[in-house]
Amino acid sequence: MLSPFAWLALSYGCRADEDRLAAALTTHPILTAHPATAEPRGRPHAGCENDDVIPYADQTYRFRGTWNEVATFYREAAAKGRWKPYGEGSEGLCLTRTTGGLKLELFVSRPPEGNADEYTVTVSAATGWLCGF
């Protein structure tokens, strides 16, 4: 029988399956879709939030224009990809979809204060993780 501490150490965090799913999420077409006034900063990034075991992929963009232009672009692109609106708050725009039995969340972050020309698009294998407003 394992002690509670040993069990926690062996069961905590993301494993190979979650890492593979996060890597697969980097190829989702919504991550590379962007308005003409935006350009990607680097390549999509894969990760896994260890506390809640949530695989995700994200892409940051630098853009010229307004948040409304960015949000409109992603609402339209997401609708074509069968994403459903989940909400919009002061933090950003949220959409969800289910594919192959897997629930996905799309979060387009509003630019942070002091860095008004960047936003990030995140696809995660969870709902309510980033869109908990």
Side-chain angles (χ1 to χ4, degrees), residues 22-99:
L25 290 174
T26 65
T27 66
H28 198 290
I30 199 72
L31 282 181
T32 56
H34 57 85
T37 59
E39 59 186 59
R41 297 200 59 206
R43 300 171 57 137
H45 166 262
C48 188
E49 199 286 321
N50 276 311
D51 287 341
D52 296 318
V53 188
I54 299 173
Y56 69 89
D58 59 24
Q59 175 66 58
T60 299
Y61 290 91
R62 178 162 291 182
F63 76 104
R64 298 174 314 282
T66 66
W67 166 249
N68 286 338
E69 292 166 339
V70 170
T72 297
F73 174 85
Y74 284 100
R75 277 189 211 101
E76 292 171 1
K80 291 176 187 172
R82 298 185 324 268
W83 292 89
K84 306 290 183 215
Y86 183 69
E88 185 168 355
S90 61
E91 300 295 315
L93 173 67
C94 286
L95 301 109
T96 62
R97 74 173 278 185
T98 301
T99 182

Side-chain angles (χ1 to χ4, degrees), residues 1-4 6-7:
M1 175 176 238
L2 292 175
S3 75
W7 181 84

